[in-house]
Amino acid sequence: MMGQAGSTLTAAADVAESALLGGRVRLRQPVKGYRAGMDAALLAAAVDAKPGERLIEAGCGAGAVLMQVAARRPGVALTGLERDLTAAGLARQNAVLNGVDDRTTIVSGDVAQGFRALDLPTFDWAVSNPPFFDDPGALRPPGPGKMGAWMADDGLKAWTGFLLKAVREGGKIVVIHRADRLADLLALLGEKAGSFAIRPIHPYADQPAKRVLVQAIKTGKAPLRLLPPLILHDRTDAKHSPEAEAILRGEAGVVF
């Protein structure tokens, strides 16, 4: 989950480099605390932006989503918003590390301040993996370095409100979140967006969805589409299903 990290990531020894998309992306991220994984890969894979288009990610952390979008979508201009200064610094380092700093901008700021506070023109794409919880009493306190990524201080409404303001009319919003927040996402994004496409994400084919990928179009009017599920694992010895493995390696995307 790429929420806004609330911890302080200081010492260089606390940072390690990972390889994503079959080695096409190098990512420096903290050894402890929140680390990007499947959610970031799926969110990046759901973006089919064209060269020349502009994308903003709310709560970009160390830049895992942005760097994977950059590798998948040449020519797309990327902006990330992150309130943790050290995480934002890592995102800038990763842009340099992957040779995309000429089209990547990392802005230090808070979703709660709203998009207008950034004084930026609207984007073609606005994406996010918002923190999964609004109520600190809803879960056992996460470990150090994870609180900001798991807890939305200002609630999900602040995140959806930011995304709705950040994208132009006809632009696309893509969010990955807990499956049990789907109704909230539809209600909040539905204030100014429509043409919803929903992709349930199941750990196994015989288990309920744990995540949903939701795409919405600002001012869109088309009927909602509930798409076939993405199954992450099967009952073989393989770590991931063939479809999930192809996405993680950058050989396939999440089609809406």
Side-chain angles (χ1 to χ4, degrees):
M1 172 178 45
M2 286 305 295
Q4 291 179 313
S7 62
T8 302
L9 313 171
T10 52
D14 294 334
V15 175
E17 185 176 312
S18 303
L20 307 177
L21 295 185
R24 291 164 57 194
V25 170
R26 299 166 62 190
L27 186 78
R28 301 190 73 234
Q29 58 181 336
V31 173
K32 298 180 180 180
Y34 177 74
R35 291 174 60 82
M38 179 66 79
D39 290 348
L42 294 176
L43 181 58
V47 173
D48 62 349
K50 305 298 187 292
E53 291 188 329
R54 300 169 60 251
L55 175 146
I56 186 169
E57 182 189 3
C60 70
V65 173
L66 293 176
M67 294 304 97
Q68 291 179 82
V69 172
R72 287 175 171 273
R73 301 293 170 181
V76 174
L78 305 168
T79 296
L81 177 69
E82 177 54 53
R83 75 179 179 185
D84 182 85
L85 296 180
T86 308
L90 281 174
R92 295 185 185 101
Q93 291 177 30
N94 285 322
V96 174
L97 192 63
N98 289 280
V100 294
D101 51 308
D102 60 333
R103 58 185 175 105
T104 303
T105 301
I106 306 300
V107 178
S108 296
D110 197 321
V111 165
Q113 296 173 332
F115 177 71
R116 289 176 179 168
L118 302 181
D119 194 27
L120 293 172
T122 54
F123 289 76
D124 303 294
W125 292 78
V127 306
S128 187
N129 183 359
F132 281 172
F133 298 93
D134 300 344
D135 179 6
L139 76 165
R140 185 177 64 186
K146 295 185 179 181
M147 179 61 79
W150 283 89
M151 195 64 55
D153 296 340
D154 299 281
L156 185 58
K157 184 176 179 63
W159 291 77
T160 57
F162 180 94
L163 297 172
L164 287 167
K165 291 289 186 183
V167 73
R168 62 171 174 79
E169 290 193 9
K172 292 182 179 179
I173 296 168
V174 183
V175 176
I176 189 167
H177 212 278
R178 288 163 37 201
D180 62 358
R181 297 303 301 272
L182 177 59
D184 297 324
L185 280 171
L186 296 179
L188 292 168
L189 291 172
E191 294 178 3
K192 294 184 179 178
S195 302
F196 288 104
I198 302 165
R199 191 89 188 263
I201 303 166
H202 297 247
Y204 291 92
D206 57 355
Q207 293 183 357
K210 295 292 188 181
R211 300 282 187 272
V212 285
L213 269 165
V214 177
Q215 178 183 275
I217 297 177
K218 188 169 180 178
T219 67
K221 303 297 183 184
L224 181 149
R225 293 181 296 130
L226 183 60
L227 303 173
L230 170 62
I231 310 300
L232 298 182
H233 309 283
D234 54 30
R235 300 298 181 181
T236 69
D237 292 334
K239 186 175 182 180
H240 299 103
S241 68
E243 184 179 8
E245 183 65 25
I247 291 170
L248 289 171
R249 295 188 63 81
E251 298 166 355
V254 177
V255 179
F256 282 111

